[in-house]
Amino acid sequence: MSSSAPPVSENRPSRSPFAGPGEQGRQLWRAAGEAVLAGALVLLTYQGELWIEARLMGGAPALALVGVVLVLVRRRFPVAGVLGLAALMAVVPAVALLTAVASYTAARQLETPRRRAGLLLGAAASAMAVCAVSAPYLELGSWLFGLALSSVLAVITVVVPGLVGIAAGQQDRLLRALRERTAAAEEAQRLADSESRVRERSRIAAEMHDLVGHRLSLVSLHAGGLEMALLREAPGLRDEAAVVGRAARDAMQELREVLGVLGPLARDTGTDALTDATGTRADIEALVEESRGVGIPVEFCWEGHDLDARPARVRRAVHRVVRESLTNVHRYATGAHVTVVVRHTDERVEVRVRNGVPPVPPAAATGLGSGRGLTGLRERVALLNGSLEAHRTPGGGFAVTAGLPADPGPGTETGETAGTAPYDDGPAAVDAPGSGLSAFQRRLAGAVTGLLGLVGVGVMMLFGVLLVSHSRYDLAYQSPEKPRVGMAKEQVQRAVAPDDDMARAAAAGREPPRPASATGCLYPYTDRAEGGRLEIVRYCFGSDTLIAIDRFTVPIVTEKATEPPHGSRTHD
C-alpha cells in the first residue's frame, strides 16, 4: 500500500485510472492487490470502530466500498482521492487508514508546496466539517463531539502521513537532481577528455603529414623525373621507375587514410576530407560519376529517402563502403560492369556493390595492396551494430553487401575505427540508489515500511479515538441548563446523551415503576459504575414534557431472573 515516487519518463503518460504520472501500463494486477489489502484494512478498522459504523445500518459497507475505489485511483487523481476519503472518513472511520495511504501518496507526488499545503489543510477541514455536521444526525453526539473526533482523525490520518509523504517526495527529487548532476558532470568530463584526445591526434596527424608526407612527395617527384629520363636513355628500365612512382603515390594515399583516422572524429583530413554531404545521394552519385569517368560502366540505384537527416557516422560508413568497393573494382576488375544499390528504410540502410567479370583479366599482383580494405570496412560497420559480407559471385564477379541501422542510437561507436571505442561512448549511466539490491528486494522493503507505518497510524488512531470516546458525554453533552421536570423533550435530548439500547436493556426488570402518565422514557448512555453496579438515569415524558427523573443502579453482572430487583432509587 505504500506509494513510490513517480518515475521520470518521456513516454506518453498512461490513461489508466490506477497509474500515476509517467507510469506505463494499466497496472491492473497492482490495483487488484491493493483492493484486497484495502478491504482487509477496512474490515480491521471496522471491528475496532463498530460502535460508530453500527449507526449507519446498511450504509457502512457501501461507503467503505467507495473508499476502496478512491484509494485505488489516488495516483491518477490525488486531490480528489484525498478530499473524498477525508470527507468519507468523517462518516465511516473504518476508511481512516485508507485516507492515510492516499494522503501520503498525494503529498509525495505533488511538487508545489502551495498545492501540498492546500490539499492537507483542505482535507483536514473537510473531515472536521462533515463530522461536526453528521454527528448529531448519526446520534454520535453533539457537533462539538464530532469536531473533537474528526480533529483527532484528521491530524493522525491526514496531516501526519502527509508530512511524511512531503519529506519522502523531497528526498526523491533531491536524489534525482543529484543523479542528473552527476551524469552531467561525468558527461562534461568525458567530452573534455575526448576533446583533448582529438587535439593530440590532430597534432600527431599534422606531424606525420609534415614529415612522412614530404618525404613521399620527394620520392614520387624523383620517380617521375627518373621515368622521363629513362624514356630516352634506358627504355628497359622505364617500367621499374613507373612501379616506384606508383608505389609512392599509393603510399601517399594510404598515409592520407591513416591521417584521416588520427584526425578529428567529426571529419577526415587530407584531400578526401568528409563533409556534411558525405554519404548522401549526391555524394554517392559523385563517386559513381568518378568511376564512369575512368571507363567503368556503373549502374546506380537509390531506393528511399536521402540520408541527409541520418547521423554522420552512418553516412560516413555508407560512403566508405561504396568508395572502397569501387576502388577494388578499379584495381582488380577494370572494365567490369558494376551495380551500386543503396536502399534506405525507416530502420535500416543497405548498401550493395556488385561487379561482373572484367573483359580483360587483371594484371599480375604487384604486392602493393595492403589487404586491409575489406577488413577495415567490416570493423567500421560492426561498430555501428551492422554487418558486412564480401564474397565472389557464382558468375565470377564479386559482391559487397552492408547492412546498417538507420539510427544506431547512443552508445555506438562515433569514431573512425575501433580504437576510439573506449572514448566515444554515450554518457555513462548513473546507478539508481540502492542498485546493490534487486528490484524485488527494494519493493519488499518498501512494502514492509509501508505496513509498519500503517500499524503506527492505526495505533495512534485507536488511542486518539478511545481518548475522545471516553470524554464524549462529559464533553459533548454538557449543557448550561440541566434537565428538570417540565422541560420539553427536545430540550432534554439536546442536553443529555442519546437513548442507549445497552442502558435500556440493563434497566429492564430492575428499574423502578414508571409514572402512570408516562408515554415514553429516555435511557441515556452512561459509563458511571461503582462497587460493581452501574448508575442509570431515566427521563420519562408525558405528552413530550419531562415528568420524572429517576436515578437507580443495576448490577453490572447479569443476575438470575428470579431474584427481586435490588435497584435503589430516588425520585425527583
Side-chain angles (χ1 to χ4, degrees):
M1 297 294 293
S2 61
S3 172
S4 58
V8 179
S9 175
E10 297 179 357
N11 298 328
R12 185 178 179 180
S14 173
R15 294 295 182 182
S16 173
F18 309 119
E23 291 184 334
Q24 298 299 311
R26 306 183 63 137
Q27 306 293 341
L28 295 180
W29 286 108
R30 183 179 68 181
E34 290 183 348
V36 174
L37 293 177
L41 289 176
V42 170
L43 290 177
L44 290 175
T45 313
Y46 178 78
Q47 295 299 322
E49 303 294 341
L50 187 60
W51 62 275
I52 298 179
E53 278 79 3
R55 302 181 184 276
L56 293 173
M57 301 300 179
L63 294 177
L65 182 60
V66 173
V68 172
V69 174
L70 288 175
V71 81
L72 292 181
V73 299
R74 70 189 187 279
R75 294 184 179 88
R76 181 70 186 279
F77 309 103
V79 176
V82 175
L83 292 178
L85 282 168
L88 190 61
M89 176 186 62
V91 182
V92 187
V95 301
L97 292 182
L98 303 186
T99 307
V101 173
S103 177
Y104 172 84
T105 303
R108 187 173 185 177
Q109 183 173 315
L110 297 178
E111 297 184 1
T112 307
R114 182 176 299 177
R115 292 189 62 190
R116 293 195 299 260
L119 177 61
L120 297 182
L121 293 178
S126 65
M128 296 169 64
V130 172
C131 191
V133 172
S134 62
Y137 292 98
L138 296 178
E139 297 183 352
L140 296 177
S142 67
W143 68 270
L144 186 59
F145 170 74
L147 186 63
L149 178 62
S150 60
S151 299
V152 172
L153 292 178
V155 171
I156 295 175
T157 62
V158 176
V159 177
V160 173
L163 294 178
V164 176
I166 290 175
Q170 290 177 341
Q171 182 182 18
D172 293 337
R173 288 184 285 274
L174 177 61
L175 290 177
R176 185 163 59 248
L178 290 177
R179 290 198 298 272
E180 292 175 355
R181 290 188 59 183
T182 302
E186 291 185 357
E187 176 67 9
Q189 182 63 34
R190 188 191 67 83
L191 293 177
D193 294 343
S194 177
E195 184 177 357
S196 300
R197 285 190 296 272
V198 168
R199 288 197 297 267
E200 183 64 18
R201 285 158 49 143
S202 299
R203 186 186 64 81
I204 296 174
E207 291 183 357
M208 291 183 63
H209 182 272
D210 293 342
L211 297 176
V212 183
H214 178 67
R215 298 298 181 185
L216 289 177
S217 299
L218 292 177
V219 172
S220 178
L221 179 62
H222 286 295
L226 181 61
E227 183 179 358
M228 295 298 296
L230 292 177
L231 180 61
R232 294 188 298 269
E233 301 295 334
L237 299 178
R238 177 178 175 275
D239 293 338
E240 298 296 332
V243 169
V244 174
R246 285 196 300 272
R249 288 190 294 272
D250 290 341
M252 177 65 74
Q253 179 64 26
E254 292 177 359
L255 175 63
R256 287 169 177 166
E257 294 181 359
V258 173
L259 294 180
V261 172
L262 291 177
L265 300 180
R267 61 182 178 84
D268 280 342
T269 57
T271 57
D272 294 330
L274 303 182
T275 65
D276 292 338
T278 298
T280 60
R281 181 169 184 170
D283 178 60
I284 302 302
E285 287 179 346
L287 292 177
V288 170
E289 288 300 326
E290 289 179 1
S291 297
R292 289 172 179 170
V294 296
I296 303 296
V298 182
E299 180 181 349
F300 176 63
C301 177
W302 185 288
E303 300 178 7
H305 298 290
D306 205 343
L307 293 178
D308 51 357
R310 293 302 180 184
R313 55 187 183 277
V314 175
R315 293 186 282 107
R316 283 198 298 268
V318 172
H319 174 93
R320 294 283 189 169
V321 170
V322 175
R323 189 179 72 176
E324 182 66 24
S325 300
L326 292 178
T327 299
N328 289 338
V329 172
H330 296 171
R331 290 180 177 178
Y332 309 115
T334 305
H337 182 272
V338 182
T339 302
V340 178
V341 178
V342 178
R343 181 178 294 108
H344 177 206
T345 63
D346 294 338
E347 291 80 18
R348 293 187 65 80
V349 178
E350 296 182 1
V351 181
R352 185 173 70 250
V353 180
R354 182 172 181 174
N355 64 273
V357 180
V360 179
T366 61
L368 298 177
S370 64
R372 291 282 303 170
L374 292 178
T375 302
L377 284 182
R378 189 170 286 109
E379 293 176 354
R380 181 184 303 278
V381 172
L383 290 173
L384 296 175
N385 297 326
S387 61
L388 184 138
E389 296 181 0
H391 56 84
R392 292 191 176 276
T393 61
F398 200 83
V400 177
T401 304
L404 301 167
D407 189 0
T412 55
E413 178 57 46
T414 59
E416 294 298 322
T417 66
T420 62
Y423 309 109
D424 298 319
D425 293 334
V430 180
D431 292 336
S435 58
L437 300 177
S438 65
F440 174 77
Q441 290 174 328
R442 291 196 295 270
R443 291 178 181 176
L444 181 61
V448 172
T449 303
L451 290 177
L452 291 178
L454 285 179
V455 170
V457 171
V459 171
M460 289 191 297
M461 185 180 68
L462 177 61
F463 281 106
V465 171
L466 289 177
L467 179 63
V468 176
S469 176
H470 182 72
S471 59
R472 57 185 290 198
Y473 297 113
D474 294 337
L475 173 66
Y477 289 100
Q478 287 182 353
S479 174
E481 186 178 5
K482 293 184 178 182
R484 66 181 185 277
V485 176
M487 182 179 288
K489 183 177 181 180
E490 183 179 354
Q491 294 177 318
V492 175
Q493 289 177 337
R494 288 199 301 266
V496 300
D499 188 67
D500 186 73
D501 294 336
M502 296 181 62
R504 183 182 293 273
R510 296 176 177 83
E511 60 183 326
R514 297 184 180 182
S517 60
T519 58
C521 293
L522 178 67
Y523 296 82
Y525 172 85
T526 180
D527 56 357
R528 297 178 180 178
E530 183 177 358
R533 303 186 68 84
L534 182 67
E535 180 182 353
I536 298 178
V537 180
R538 184 184 67 184
Y539 300 90
C540 294
F541 301 90
S543 300
D544 292 335
T545 301
L546 182 62
I547 60 176
I549 302 176
D550 297 305
R551 292 184 175 86
F552 55 94
T553 62
V554 297
I556 295 179
V557 180
T558 304
E559 300 179 2
K560 296 181 181 179
T562 57
E563 295 182 0
H566 303 294
S568 63
R569 69 181 181 88
T570 60
H571 187 76
D572 294 336

